[in-house]
Amino acid sequence: MAHVLGIDLGTTNSCVAVWRDGRAQVIDSAEKERTTPTAAGQPTPGQWIVGAPARWQAQTNPEFTFSGLKRILGRSLEDPLVLQAQSMSPFSIEASPDGFAWVRTRDGLQSPQTVLAHVLRKMRSSAEAYLGEPATACVMTIPAYFGIAQKAAAKEAALLAGLQVVRLLPEPSAAALAYGLERGADKTIAVFDLGGGTFDVSILKIRGRAFTVLATEGDQFLGGDDWDSRIIDAVADPFRASYGVDLKADRVALQRLRDEAEKAKIRLSSLEAYDIALPWIALDPRTGQKLDVFHAMTREALDELTRDLVARLTPPCDAALAKAKLTPRDLDEVVLVGGMTAMPAVRDAVRLLFGRTPRQDVSPECAVAIGAAIRGAALTGEIRSITMNEPLPHSVGLELEGGAFHPILKRGAVTPVRKRADVFTTSQPDQQAVAIRLYEGDLTVAGDNRALGVLILDGITPRPAGEARFDVTLDVDAD
Ligand code: ADP
Ligand code: MG
């Protein structure tokens, strides 16, 4: 079998790895970075710039630079998470004909999967250049909480980029694979993933080479970008006070400031102090003279500015442990994932929260892609097989007459799973067709859950109400 790429499609950054010469190898982007920003921008209609270059022009082309699309992928416009993303988004998020959250591009309304496909296509071509042969298959990672519509959208994004998804893999399970935690004794672990825009914490059980996600919690609006914004404010506020110039109102200045703020944050993970310097960032409105930013920043000052952000890491960790009915003592290992876990204050918080020193020996931005590549190698038979027991994040069931939701597969049912529902019947005399409406969710009114589709069963022999009987079997595969 040809190579199967391991793809981590992240909210902020994506990464691709592949199993080669007996190990998982990360493939550099066209810009020679280990990750590719999950961003695509349109300077003019019909033209797309993707990855790092899209990020470089984000601030000067905000309306048509698309990032953070993973948050809205496969969700309806009314989804509370989409509404929140919409309220903060510089680009326009609108309803598709089916009510899904799409984005307004210079070429019209497009699905997030269509835009994300540009990023995947770019990674695919880096992989093909590296392998020297076409790449057409991948294992793609997804958050453990992704529902059916989100998984379908993720697969579609890959397909649009010419990649068949051979398997979807939960991100925390991928991270555990990257750390080789399926080797040795059975374990219970926590995976702590703090990225650029999202925070996820999951508890996993590993028995032999089988992985089960016991609980997953997080904050979809907490990540490295928030740390960067604090640095931007710390620089821009005193600058405005001194010179009466608002750097945040000038798009070019803000782009430079944002890039420099992120650089400062990253440097302060290894250094105690860093001088933010941005020469000629503005002109003094009174004298017309060139103004520079010079701001001496220390790690201590950054920690002070972001103490409340670190505090927001606690509730999801507590909730995940509570859901798994575990205490920190029950954990055998805590694993760090996501670029932000390089930050000493974040590591200290993890140490306090879980009462142990976390594992961080695999590069945190690449661990998920590495795990996906390992999963791919197990599928191609290069290494021993691995089993993923994935509990359904939401119940799946039907709408009953009157609108109530009837779950057939309950939340937490481990996939693959097949279940036959109780016998259903007609409600009208001589009824010849029934509409079976499938929903995913846990709310009692079917329509409040996520609609998955409708199956029309017709050709029913006319009979008095309640006499035609049929049953429904739901079959959910490993994806
Ligand atoms: P995601 O999985 O959410 O797409 P990543 O895991 O790649 O994102 O994390 C990206 C975030 O990590 C960015 O905010 C980036 O600035 C931050 N980051 C990367 N390296 C470091 C570092 N050494 N110290 C602090 N933050 C870092
Ligand atoms: Mg990630």
Side-chain angles (χ1 to χ4, degrees):
M1 196 170 171
H3 290 284
V4 172
L5 304 180
I7 294 187
D8 166 19
L9 180 65
T11 307
T12 317
N13 294 310
S14 295
C15 186
V16 54
V18 69
W19 188 268
R20 203 185 190 195
D21 304 329
R23 65 185 190 93
Q25 320 231 16
V26 174
I27 300 170
D28 281 353
S29 71
E31 291 76 26
K32 300 288 164 237
E33 302 281 353
R34 283 159 70 80
T35 60
T36 297
T38 313
Q42 273 200 304
T44 57
Q47 187 200 1
W48 285 94
I49 47 171
V50 182
R55 212 140 172 225
W56 298 333
Q57 54 92 67
Q59 229 51 255
T60 48
N61 181 24
E63 244 182 297
F64 296 103
T65 302
F66 305 97
S67 60
L69 291 183
K70 189 177 169 186
R71 287 200 190 97
I72 66 168
L73 185 67
R75 291 182 191 266
S76 79
L77 193 71
E78 280 101 65
D79 190 310
L81 213 105
V82 172
L83 294 175
Q84 199 177 344
Q86 197 181 31
S87 72
M88 309 186 319
S89 174
F91 51 84
S92 175
I93 302 175
E94 301 170 32
S96 77
D98 289 339
F100 280 99
W102 283 20
V103 293
R104 175 69 57 193
T105 73
R106 289 195 197 267
D107 302 331
L109 208 55
Q110 294 191 354
S111 68
Q113 49 271 45
T114 306
V115 179
L116 288 169
H118 292 290
V119 178
L120 292 167
R121 217 174 281 124
K122 178 164 175 157
M123 292 202 290
R124 177 181 164 218
S125 53
S126 300
E128 291 182 332
Y130 172 82
L131 292 168
E133 62 181 45
T136 56
C138 69
V139 167
M140 191 176 202
T141 58
I142 40 147
Y145 52 79
F146 257 25
I148 290 172
Q150 291 160 291
K151 288 180 175 180
K155 279 183 159 181
E156 192 190 332
L159 215 54
L160 289 168
L163 287 165
Q164 184 81 40
V165 177
V166 257
R167 200 57 59 89
L168 291 171
L169 176 66
E171 287 160 10
S173 309
L177 274 174
Y179 276 94
L181 296 181
E182 77 287 6
R183 293 186 220 124
D186 293 346
K187 299 177 189 72
T188 304
I189 67 158
V191 178
F192 182 100
D193 181 350
L194 184 62
T198 54
F199 170 48
D200 295 302
V201 55
S202 308
I203 312 289
L204 267 69
K205 190 174 78 179
I206 307 169
R207 297 288 177 270
R209 289 170 75 79
F211 292 68
T212 308
V213 179
L214 297 178
T216 185
E217 290 289 326
D219 185 333
Q220 290 299 293
F221 295 94
L222 179 63
D225 295 346
D226 299 303
W227 272 257
D228 301 349
S229 295
R230 292 296 166 83
I231 298 175
I232 293 171
D233 291 345
V235 173
D237 292 351
F239 193 88
R240 195 182 49 221
S242 305
Y243 305 107
V245 177
D246 185 2
L247 295 174
K248 292 197 282 185
D250 172 349
R251 287 175 170 189
V252 177
L254 181 59
Q255 179 73 57
R256 286 182 62 195
L257 185 52
R258 189 169 287 286
D259 293 345
E260 180 68 7
E262 183 179 14
K263 189 167 153 197
K265 176 191 68 179
I266 291 173
R267 290 290 164 84
L268 289 171
S269 290
S270 46
L271 304 174
E272 290 294 335
Y274 178 82
D275 292 337
I276 295 174
L278 294 161
W280 296 356
I281 195 152
L283 292 178
D284 190 320
R286 287 161 298 206
T287 64
Q289 290 212 317
K290 286 166 182 164
L291 295 174
D292 308 330
V293 158
F294 183 84
H295 191 103
M297 189 93 189
T298 62
R299 183 187 293 171
E300 206 183 335
L302 174 60
D303 290 349
E304 196 55 52
L305 286 172
T306 54
R307 206 172 288 283
D308 60 314
L309 297 175
V310 172
R312 284 170 60 192
L313 300 169
T314 303
C317 294
D318 290 345
L321 282 167
K323 230 183 200 172
K325 299 192 177 66
L326 296 173
T327 66
R329 286 159 176 271
D330 301 317
L331 299 173
D332 298 297
E333 208 83 78
V334 177
V335 158
L336 295 183
V337 188
M340 277 298 292
T341 59
M343 199 171 165
V346 172
R347 288 185 187 168
D348 290 345
V350 176
R351 203 170 292 129
L352 263 170
L353 278 165
F354 293 101
R356 71 186 59 233
T357 303
R359 288 277 300 263
Q360 51 189 63
D361 38 305
V362 178
S363 134
E365 319 101 270
C366 301
V368 170
I370 289 171
I374 295 172
R375 182 83 189 92
L379 290 168
T380 55
E382 282 162 284
I383 60 170
R384 274 167 59 209
S385 71
I386 296 160
T387 311
M388 296 290 155
N389 298 317
E390 285 183 49
L392 290 174
H394 307 287
S395 304
V396 182
L398 310 180
E399 179 176 27
L400 298 178
E401 187 74 21
F405 180 56
H406 178 78
I408 296 177
L409 290 170
K410 294 265 172 62
R411 173 171 64 191
V414 171
T415 60
V417 58
R418 159 181 264 244
K419 194 165 172 216
R420 200 166 114 172
D422 338 40
V423 176
F424 288 85
T425 183
T426 49
S427 59
Q428 307 292 324
D430 297 333
Q431 188 175 338
Q432 291 181 36
V434 286
I436 299 170
R437 288 175 204 283
L438 196 62
Y439 288 89
E440 176 185 35
D442 293 283
L443 301 171
T444 51
V445 175
D448 292 342
N449 294 311
R450 201 172 300 154
L452 294 176
V454 189
L455 179 79
I456 307 290
L457 180 70
D458 58 11
I460 302 171
T461 314
R463 289 199 183 103
E467 274 197 12
R469 309 182 55 91
F470 53 94
D471 50 42
V472 176
T473 301
L474 282 188
D475 197 346
V476 180
D477 70 8
D479 284 348

